[in-house]
Amino acid sequence: APDLAGVPIAAPRDWIGSDSHANDENGHGTHVAGTILQRTDNGLSGAGLSAATLMPLRILDYSGNGQGSDLVDA
């Protein structure tokens, strides 16, 4: 996601793939993260609302399904 270039990322975790590559197959999480964290005046889109560190946690699959226990763990 080019809008998130330069945003610090901390300890990603993927409960679906059981690894540290929390890739967003649906796009919703990336959209929300971009709305909150994208840099102002980056020439790509709107301005974000906050300067923070992103911790990607994937608990839902590409269709938006997942386990409640993964939500609790995340």
Side-chain angles (χ1 to χ4, degrees):
D3 287 357
L4 298 174
V7 171
I9 296 178
R13 174 125 187 245
D14 182 349
W15 272 264
I16 303 297
S18 299
D19 58 29
S20 63
H21 301 285
N23 296 326
D24 184 1
E25 294 178 354
N26 179 281
H28 178 74
T30 301
H31 174 80
V32 171
T35 299
I36 296 168
L37 296 171
Q38 62 193 342
R39 287 189 349 248
T40 302
D41 295 326
N42 65 4
L44 297 172
S45 62
L49 303 173
S50 175
T53 298
L54 175 64
M55 179 182 280
L57 303 173
R58 181 172 170 241
I59 58 169
L60 302 176
D61 65 16
Y62 67 92
S63 63
N65 294 313
Q67 300 295 317
S69 59
D70 291 340
L71 174 62
V72 170
D73 289 345

